[in-house]
Amino acid sequence: MARILITSALPYINGVKHLGNLAGSMLPADVYARFMRLQGHDVLAICATDEHGTPAELAAAAAGQDVRAYCDEQHEIQKSIGEQFGLSWDYFGRTSSPQNAELTQHFAETLEKNGLIAEVVEQQVYSIDDGRFLPDRYVEGTCPNCGFEKARGDQCDNCGKLLDPIELIEPYSAVSGSKNLEVRDTKHLQLKQTVMEERIRAWVDGADGWPSFAKSIAYKWLDEGLRDRTITRDLKWGVPVTKDGQPREGFEDKVFYVWFDAPIGYISATREWAEETGGDWESWWRTDKGADDVRYVEFMGKDNVAFHTVSFPATLLGSEEPWKTVDALKAFNWLTWYGGKFSTSNKRGVFMDQALELLPADYWRWYLTAYGPEGSDAQFTWDHFQSSVNKDLADVLGNFVNRILKFGASRFDGVIPEGGTPGEAEAWLESEVSTRLANIASHYEAMEFRKAAAETRALWAAGNEYLTRAEPWVHFKTDKDQAALGVRTGINLVRLCAITAQPVIPDAAGKILAALGLEGAADWPQGDAKAMLSALGPGRSFAPADILFAKIEDDQVAEWTERFGGAA
RNA sequence: GGCUGGGUAGCUCAGCUGGUUAGAGCGCACGACUCAUAAUCGUGAGGUCGGGAGUUCAAGUCUCCCCCCCGCCA
């Protein structure tokens, strides 16, 4: 039994995530966690909301709420929707937790002791009326490049030029509209990544278990040369900056930059979990306290790769403390909406809460796993979604389960019958089952989700093919024992299909197992195929399940296309 | 304009460090079956791997140039 720590990139707090976010980290992390639990491993799956930063403040302001209240509410919403999607986190924490503040301050102070943090003086816009420094996006004014009058401090939306707030002509506060601004010197902390560069490169060199494109992203950053990063911001909402555990002089109105504290959230959420459950968080994160045998697997979208391969490791390695660093890293590409970007404002794309209004979670889980953006970007289209789900789930799996259970119920009174002599069809199936099960497991081990799903489906197809070969409906007329063998074997195969499908479609798998009278936990099938296919012996009763997956109809697709946008 | 990532059968995608007749699913055509959600099973037709040049005994797979798409940034 191995110990496996799984994290998925933290969803940002400002609203419900879309299907691309789900497909790119949270869902595969869950599928992987479920598979590993089925294998009997000790799994700790951690996620959390990423709550700090300017966008959170802006979103709260837009909602007319206090930031804390806004985050409280949004956190609960995201947690609930995730659970409805079957995301089986062991803990879903928050980066706004006291645990995260403490750990973030600990890391910053430790890094400083190790000479990796410098205090620098920068020039920044100060709003006298607001009584605060204004971060980039809180200053607006006329663009010095194109004359656009509503340019933001970080960038002009009109000409696209990247700006420094102090360059703006006639700047004003986006908070109050006040023009009573001045440029003042202000102190910030910088993480000296330049000093860490060779060390991080060596660490990346030694890494395996990353997709090639993840490694190339890390090298690209390293090749361009790491820059020292300012890790503090002039915001109220965030982790306060401290020194020796006390508020740091000159930093009373500053907090750590969201990208500094967010990945630390993986650790702090584990600590939240430990405090709630009595678990031992250090045994998962400190190699001097038991984590040396932990395999740590991170899931993320490709936009997050640099932060996980360079920035976060810089924090961990720079501390000179025995923190666990990532072992295997799985990065996903983009799920695109008809080849373009998901866009809330343009009414393109489906968000997690909306998806659940349309169809149960398993439909989405299957589609996003079997056709997800794993090796390259993947296109979501309604037509593709409809045809994939209908064929795979309704026709191949649903129909297989349904036909064998119904036939067995009507011909053998819902009791697994005995009798019959295994022949060619059974031999073929045994060979098929052992091949497929081995493939499914090895693809999951390798975190090849599309391939694992394809093999899972191949097992379902083998079920249909077996019935074609065994023809119990034909034998029933002349040789009931032979028909009994087909039914018994078919039902055993249904069980195997359900168990192996659990990581991806847990609800449907549960319904199937319930139909077989197998409520509760089921472990990954053990033994040889012959034994697996006779695990459920004669005499056990079963009942046909309700239709597992209703087909998606054309008029539904038409309606959804109208509602959510489709081909551009 | 710069920088990633792409451009492989009608569609969506696999093809690791170059090596037998380039793969899968869907769709399509034909055949079989009737237990089943008009589901299933079998067979088959489909690709000069974006274009050009080069390296090599051998390139979808390496090098260079060009074209196009998505995304990020300027």
Side-chain angles (χ1 to χ4, degrees), chain A residues 205-222:
Chain A
D205 287 342
D208 54 12
W210 299 10
S212 56
F213 82 92
K215 213 153 182 172
S216 65
I217 290 172
Y219 280 127
K220 180 173 175 274
W221 272 46
L222 290 164

Side-chain angles (χ1 to χ4, degrees), chain A residues 253-269:
Chain A
D253 293 324
K254 299 176 196 299
V255 296
F256 284 105
Y257 178 41
V258 58
W259 258 114
F260 184 69
D261 78 69
I264 295 170
Y266 294 140
I267 306 175
S268 64

Side-chain angles (χ1 to χ4, degrees), chain A residues 44 90-91 270-280:
Chain A
L44 188 68
D90 289 288
Y91 198 79
T270 309
R271 200 164 164 182
E272 289 180 63
W273 161 80
E275 287 172 14
E276 189 158 294
T277 63
D280 179 1

Side-chain angles (χ1 to χ4, degrees), chain A residues 42 74 109 134 157 175 223 270 286 339 375 379-380 416 447 477 511 520 531 541 562:
Chain A
D42 187 8
Q74 293 298 318
E109 292 189 18
L134 298 175
D157 282 335
V175 179
D223 291 345
T270 309
R286 295 278 299 214
Q379 271 196 55
F380 179 95
I416 296 179
M447 296 193 283
K477 297 167 188 164
K511 282 185 197 169
S541 55
E562 171 71 19

Side-chain angles (χ1 to χ4, degrees), chain A residues 1-7 29-46 88-91 273 284 294-295:
Chain A
M1 186 176 83
R3 301 176 69 219
I4 304 172
L5 173 63
I6 299 170
T7 60
D30 181 67
V31 172
Y32 187 71
R34 285 175 180 272
F35 170 76
M36 287 302 172
R37 290 192 195 106
L38 266 182
Q39 293 280 1
H41 296 308
D42 187 8
V43 170
L44 188 68
I46 296 291
S88 59
W89 303 302
D90 289 288
Y91 198 79
W273 161 80
W284 290 95
V294 168
R295 177 174 167 79

